[in-house]
Amino acid sequence: DGCSGDCRGGGGGSGATRRPSKAATLSTARGLTGGARSNSKGRARSGRRSVSLGSAASSASSTGSRRGSRQQSRTGSKPGRDREADSDAASDKEKEEDITDEQIEGFFADMFAQYALTWDSDNRPLMNFASFHSFCQALLKGSNDSVLKRADKAYGDEIQCQKDLHYRYDLKRKDAKKGLCFDAFYISIQTLMPGGQAKQLAKQRFLEFHGSAALMREALSSDLGGA
């Protein structure tokens, strides 16, 4: 007897296996297709977002690298400038050491001649108070106000000494009060700027103006009366 006809032919028995209808098959196919499309679109969008995020990260990394390079370049150049400044300072120091004492003493005499605008009875130059103050300003170039404040007292003390001992300076009494002769001027400068300060400043001006006291006076004391 074997298997019954209902089983093979799909009859209405309770144990029969039913085939799905055509409509159900199409519906299922559409659902699977739609799901596949949806998954495909989702993966595409996810892929685009990943690429976009990756590009943004790469761009940010590149920008950060460029900024870091520029910053390193800026900061890295500072030591170079510092080394150049140190080299220039060392070079100036060597040049100052090459200047002899005779050159500096001669430069002081030239500076005195440029700033001494008064004369004694024998037509020898004397430096009055206004010229002395202008000379100190030029020598210091405004770098030490406390020294300038003491300059007035230094002049007053030395002019009084010159008047009291006018014969030692080969000056007449009436001329001794007009202004400082070179010897009195040199003493007052060394007293005002002790410990070699005056000579050091004179070396700097000597280099700056190529040993010309006239150029120094023209550049730093142009308001002073004619020489």
Side-chain angles (χ1 to χ4, degrees):
D1 295 340
C3 187
S4 65
D6 290 340
C7 185
R8 291 192 299 270
S14 59
T17 301
R18 297 179 181 176
R19 294 181 180 179
S21 65
K22 186 176 181 179
T25 301
L26 291 174
S27 176
T28 301
R30 291 192 187 102
L32 291 173
T33 303
R37 289 175 180 169
S38 176
N39 289 337
S40 177
K41 290 180 180 178
R43 285 194 298 270
R45 286 195 295 267
S46 176
R48 284 195 296 270
R49 283 197 298 271
S50 297
V51 171
S52 178
L53 290 173
S55 298
S58 177
S59 177
S61 176
S62 176
T63 301
S65 177
R66 289 196 298 270
R67 289 176 179 172
S69 298
R70 288 196 297 268
Q71 182 67 22
Q72 184 177 4
S73 176
R74 287 195 295 268
T75 56
S77 64
K78 290 182 180 179
R81 290 196 295 268
D82 292 342
R83 285 193 295 270
E84 289 178 4
D86 292 342
S87 177
D88 291 343
S91 177
D92 290 343
K93 184 68 175 178
E94 290 177 359
K95 291 177 181 178
E96 288 177 13
E97 291 174 352
D98 290 338
I99 302 172
T100 65
D101 289 341
E102 289 75 13
Q103 285 178 303
I104 287 302
E105 289 173 4
F107 189 51
F108 268 111
D110 291 342
M111 289 188 291
F112 177 80
Q114 288 294 319
Y115 283 83
L117 305 181
T118 304
W119 292 266
D120 67 4
S121 300
D122 296 322
N123 208 31
R124 292 175 298 186
L126 299 171
M127 186 180 288
N128 61 21
F129 172 75
S131 296
F132 182 81
H133 193 83
S134 294
F135 169 78
C136 290
Q137 283 183 317
L139 189 64
L140 290 163
K141 289 185 73 173
S143 62
N144 198 325
D145 291 338
S146 63
V147 174
L148 283 176
K149 290 178 181 178
R150 297 199 308 272
D152 298 349
K153 184 178 186 304
Y155 177 88
D157 291 345
E158 197 58 40
I159 197 75
Q160 183 60 50
C161 181
Q162 182 177 269
K163 287 190 293 184
D164 295 341
L165 302 174
H166 61 90
Y167 50 89
R168 289 190 178 181
Y169 294 100
D170 192 25
L171 289 171
K172 297 176 182 177
R173 186 183 297 274
K174 66 177 182 178
D175 292 330
K177 62 183 179 182
K178 291 180 179 179
L180 299 175
C181 67
F182 175 74
D183 289 341
F185 156 78
Y186 196 71
I187 292 171
S188 65
I189 289 297
Q190 301 303 321
T191 302
L192 180 62
M193 306 174 202
Q197 295 179 51
K199 284 188 176 181
Q200 185 64 33
L201 288 169
K203 286 182 178 181
Q204 292 175 11
R205 301 298 162 265
F206 184 92
L207 288 175
E208 184 178 358
F209 296 101
H210 310 288
S212 174
L215 287 177
M216 171 183 161
R217 178 178 173 273
E218 182 180 350
L220 302 179
S221 307
S222 58
D223 59 334
L224 195 62

